[in-house]
């Protein structure tokens, strides 16, 4: 609530870092989409690499959480990205497409353009490594082309795709450009 209050009257909006996949029920320790909405949140992150890696969240669970977020009126920020091994083996495209496809198959294409896709390469989270602007842009183009095949290029152009891997003061300007 304090963050939401600080956002009032500004261009900023508050969001949650995670949500429970079930809309209702007794899930001690979890936060529901309706709780986030009740507190004034507009967004929620789903599929963050730490949730996938540390808590074993599968593509199917990320897709379920995306559907729940969308149904609650939250804008899901769907994180997708590959491990360093997957990148080195030339599997970035197949991994990212698999992750986006899982969301679309469960949540429906209607989750976009309200939803946001965040390219968050696993190898750039907490490792000190960061994708170059060219690497990030290449994956953004891949995602947009994939969504364009499903929605058409004009609608795909309206979907927000952002980079979210180890952005720091020293590289933010370059990545944002």
């Amino acid at each position: 609530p304090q963050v939401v209050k600080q956002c009032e009257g500004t261009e900023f909006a508050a969001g949650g870092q995670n949500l429970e996949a079930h809309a209702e029920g007794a899930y001690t320790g979890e936060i529901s989409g309706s709780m986030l909405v009740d507190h004034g949140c507009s967004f929620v992150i789903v599929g963050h690499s730490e949730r996938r890696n540390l808590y074993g969240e599968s593509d199917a669970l990320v897709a379920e959480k995306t559907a729940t977020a969308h149904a609650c009126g939250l804008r899901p920020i769907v994180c997708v990205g590959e491990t360093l091994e997957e990148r080195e083996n030339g599997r970035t495209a197949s991994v990212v497409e698999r992750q986006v496809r899982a969301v679309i198959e469960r949540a429906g294409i209607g989750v976009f353009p309200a939803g946001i896709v965040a390219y968050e390469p696993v190898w750039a989270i907490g490792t000190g490594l960061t994708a170059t602007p060219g690497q990030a842009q290449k994956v953004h183009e891949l995602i947009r082309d994939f969504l364009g095949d499903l929605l058409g290029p004009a609608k795909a152009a309206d979907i927000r795709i952002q980079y979210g891997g180890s952005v720091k003061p020293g590289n933010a300007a370059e990545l944002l450009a």
Side-chain angles (χ1 to χ4, degrees):
Q2 292 173 344
V3 173
V4 171
K5 183 151 183 67
Q6 292 296 315
C7 291
E8 288 176 5
T10 73
E11 60 189 81
F12 297 99
Q17 292 182 314
N18 188 33
L19 84 158
E20 166 56 40
H22 298 90
E24 298 180 354
Y27 298 96
T28 302
E30 296 293 330
I31 186 163
S32 70
S34 61
M35 291 169 75
L36 291 170
V37 170
D38 287 349
H39 284 286
C41 289
S42 303
F43 299 88
V44 66
I45 298 170
V46 293
H48 191 280
S49 65
E50 291 171 354
R51 299 292 310 180
R52 290 179 188 260
N53 290 332
L54 298 175
Y55 299 97
E57 291 190 2
S58 65
D59 293 344
L61 181 55
V62 171
E64 189 67 31
K65 286 183 172 193
T66 302
T68 299
H70 186 64
C72 291
L74 292 164
R75 288 185 72 184
I77 302 170
V78 181
C79 298
V80 299
E82 79 284 13
T83 64
L84 185 57
E85 179 182 354
E86 290 165 335
R87 172 168 275 285
E88 289 174 344
N89 290 324
R91 295 184 19 223
T92 298
S94 64
V95 169
V96 170
E97 285 182 13
R98 182 196 77 223
Q99 293 168 338
V100 173
R101 184 180 305 281
V103 167
I104 292 169
E105 287 175 356
R106 170 56 190 95
I109 197 68
V111 75
F112 299 109
I116 297 166
V117 179
Y119 172 53
E120 180 207 35
V122 177
W123 53 268
I125 304 300
T127 64
L129 301 173
T130 304
T132 66
Q135 289 171 320
Q137 188 59 37
K138 184 173 181 179
V139 178
H140 288 195
E141 289 172 7
L142 176 132
I143 295 166
R144 192 162 317 280
D145 289 346
F146 178 70
L147 291 169
D149 290 344
L150 300 171
L151 292 168
K155 287 186 180 179
D158 290 336
I159 296 172
R160 179 174 290 180
I161 301 172
Q162 59 193 37
Y163 178 74
S166 296
V167 177
K168 306 175 251 202
N171 67 14
E174 183 181 24
L175 286 166
L176 291 170

